[in-house]
Amino acid sequence: MRVLVVEDELRLAANIVAGLREAGFAVDHAADGLAASAYAEQDLFDLIVLDLMLPGRDGKSVLRTLRARGIHSPVLILTAQEGKASTIELLNAGADDYLAKPFDLGELIARAKALIRRSKGKSSPVLQVGELSIDTVRQTVTRDLRTFDLSPTEYRILEYLAHRPRAVVSKKELLEHLYDYDWEHHSNVIEAHISNLRRKLTSAEEEPIIETLRHRGYRLRVEEVR
Amino acid sequence: MTSSASITRRITSSVLALELLAALVLIATVANHERDVQFTVFKTNLRASANALFGTLQEAENKGGSIALDSSARSLPAAAVYRVSDGNGNVLGIQGPAPLIEVAPGTFIKLMVNGQPYLFYSMSGERAIDPGKPFAVYHHVRIIYGLPTKRVWHEVVEAVRFFAFATLLLLGTTAFFLTWLIRKLLTPVRELALEADRINTDTWFFNAPQSSKRFMELRPLASAIEKSIHRLQRSFEQQRRFTSDAAHELKTDLAVIKSSLQVLSMKRRTVEEYEHGIAGSLEDLKRLESTVQKMLALARLEQAPTIQNQSCDFSEVVLESVALNQPFAEIRELTIVPSGTELAVQVPVGKKDALLLCANVFMNALQHSPSHGHIDVMMTQTPGSVCLKVRDRGPGIEEEDRPMLFDAFYRGDTSRSRETGGTGLGLSICKAICDRSGGSISISNHPEGGALVDILLPVLPDDPPAV
C-alpha cells in the first residue's frame, strides 16, 4: 500500500515516513501544499496523511481540490489545532479521519490500516481469500494452519492482491502501489517476487494460487467454497 | 439590600425639595400680602364706620344745645365696640366695653377687649349747632371705634390654607409625572445596558441601540462602549491567537520528540541506531526548551513594566553582542561592521534584556543575509535618545508581512523558518523590550536592498542624581 505524507515539519515527517515504512507501507513525502497537490493528483495513493498548517497552500484547500478532482484516496488529517468546529469542518470537506498532535505513532499506523481496509471495502483486519487467511495486523499468512514465511515485499504483494480477489492487477499497478519514488524501478522485481510467492504458497501438486495473465497482470485465484 | 442610589429618586426628590422651597416662599409672601390687604380693608372699614358714626351724630336732633347719639339709626356690627364723647367727657354714645384711652385722633391702636384683640380707630370732629349764627354752639366730639381682628386673621389663614393645599396637590402631581418622565427618559440608558450585557467572550458584537444614539448625552457613552469593546476584542483575539499559536508550536515540537522515540521503539535496533535516535531526540528537546524559554521571556517582558532602576551602557552591549555573534557570522562567512559605539550611552534597559534585544536583531540579520556579505551596525546619538540601525543584504521584507512582523509566532516564510531555528518569537521579544523602556523598533527595506531594523531607545542622563 502506498501512502503520501504531507507534513512541513521535516523531523516529524521523517519519523512518520520511517514508522509507516516499518509497518510495510510505501511512503512518499511532500513538504508543502503545492507539492502535496501535485503528488496526490496522480491518484496513486491508498492513503494521504495530511498536515493542516502548510506553507504554500494549506491542508484544507489541498483536501478540497483533491475531492473536487474526484480523487477518492482516504485522507487522514494531522492537526495541532483544537476545537470541535474545525474537526467538523474538515470531515465535511472530505476528510476521513483526524489525529491531533502530538499523536501516537502506533495509533497513526493502526488508523492508516483501518482507513485503507475500509476504502477497499473490507471491515475485518483478517482477509480471507479462499483457503488463505491474511492477518494485516500481524502480517502473517496461514493456510490450513500452515504459516508461511514471506518477505516483506512478498507479503505486501499478496495483501494488495488479496484486497481485490479475482480481479486482474497489472504489474504497473503493483509497482505504483507497492513502491515509492525513492525506489529504483525494475519491472522484473515484481516477477521475481510473484514467482517466489507462488512457490512458497503452493506445493507442487496444487494449483498455483496466483495466476499470471500474459501482458495483463496477475490474479489471485479463489476456489469456490466447498 | 445594600444602599443603592437611584437617579430617578434623586432627581424627583431634588425637584420636589426645590418646588417645596419655592412653595414655602410663595406662601410666606402670599400670607404677608394677604395680611396687608386684609388689614388695609379692615382699617378702611374702621375709618368708614367711625365716620358714619360721626355722620349719625351730625344728623342727631339737637336737644337744648346738647346732642345724643341715636344708636338705632345705624346698623353696626354686634362685635363693634365704640365710644362717642364730647370735650367735657360726657359720653354721647357707647357700645361694648370701650376702653377709656387718650390717643391722637386719626390713629389706630391695638387693644385687648374681653381677652380678644381689637383694633381701634380714634377720630375727633366738631359738631356745630346752628353754625353761622351768634348763638352757635360748638361741640368737640371724640370717637373711638374698634372691631375684633380675629376675623381678619381668619381670612389670612384661610388664604394660606388654600395655597398650602394647592401646593401639596401640585407636589404630588409633579412627583408622579416626574417619576414617569424620568423613567421614560432613562429608557435609552436601560437599552444600552441591556445591549452591553449581551457582550461576552463569544459574541463581541455591540450595536448601540438607536435610542442611545439619538440623545446627545448618551452618544459619547455609546461610542465609548463601542470603542472599548472593540479594543478589548482585539486584545482578547490577540491573546487567543497567541495561546493557540503557542499550543501549536509546543504540540509540534512534542509530536517530533514523541514520534522519534516511537519509531526507535518499533523494533529492536542496533546500538548505533539507538545512539543516533537519542542524539536526534536531544536536539528536538533543545528546540522545545528554546521555544518555552522564549515564550516565558516574552510573558515576563509583556507584563506591566515595573519601576526599576535597571540601566546599561548600550554601546558596550552592542559591541559585546557583536562579539558573541562572531562565531556564527564566521560560519556563514559574514562580517558585522559596528560604528558609532565609541561613546558610552546609558539606556533604561537591563543588560540581560539589552543583550537579548541585540542578539535577536543580529541573529535575524545573519540568518537572512547571503554568504560573504556584511551587516552594518550603526549607532547614532541624538539628545535624549540613541538610534541603532542594523542593515543586512538579504531579500528584505515583504510589504504584506510588515504589519504582522512583530506578532508572536509570525514567520515571513513558514516553510523555511522552523528549519533555520526561528520560533517567530524573536521580534516580539525585541518589541516588548523596546516598548517597556519607552523606545520603539521598526523594520523597513533599505533603498539599496536588504532589511533595515531601526531601534530607538531613550537615553538616561549621564550622572543620575543620587536619591
Side-chain angles (χ1 to χ4, degrees), chain B residues 197-217:
Chain B
D197 194 44
R198 288 207 195 102
I199 300 159
N200 61 38
T201 52
D202 290 325
T203 53
W204 286 101
F205 183 73
F206 176 79
N207 186 16
Q210 274 306 312
S211 57
S212 65
K213 283 182 184 152
R214 214 170 58 229
F215 290 100
M216 198 173 73
E217 290 88 346

Side-chain angles (χ1 to χ4, degrees), chain A residues 9 11 15 22 82 105, chain B residues 251 260 262 269 284 418:
Chain A
E9 170 56 49
R11 289 276 300 138
N15 288 335
E22 298 217 345
E82 303 247 350
L105 202 56
Chain B
K251 280 179 185 171
S260 294
Q262 280 174 338
R269 294 178 194 275
D284 298 335
R418 268 191 83 91

Side-chain angles (χ1 to χ4, degrees), chain A residues 73-93:
Chain A
S73 311
V75 171
L76 171 59
I77 298 280
L78 294 182
T79 171
Q81 280 172 340
E82 303 247 350
K84 283 271 173 287
S86 67
T87 312
I88 292 168
E89 198 185 333
L90 282 169
L91 292 174
N92 284 340

Side-chain angles (χ1 to χ4, degrees), chain A residues 7-12 15-16 18-20 22-23 53-56 80-82 101-106 109, chain B residues 245 247-248 251-252 254-260 262-263 266-267 269 280-281 284 287 413-415 418-419:
Chain A
E7 167 64 65
D8 65 320
E9 170 56 49
L10 295 183
R11 289 276 300 138
L12 185 58
N15 288 335
I16 298 172
L20 286 172
E22 298 217 345
M53 286 252 237
L54 290 171
Q81 280 172 340
E82 303 247 350
K101 291 179 188 176
F103 51 82
D104 193 282
L105 202 56
I109 292 166
Chain B
D245 286 351
H248 183 268
K251 280 179 185 171
T252 305
L254 273 177
V256 170
I257 297 168
K258 193 169 170 183
S259 61
S260 294
Q262 280 174 338
V263 166
M266 273 178 86
K267 63 174 188 194
R269 294 178 194 275
S281 296
D284 298 335
R287 249 200 75 88
D413 181 359
T414 35
S415 63
R418 268 191 83 91
E419 298 317 306

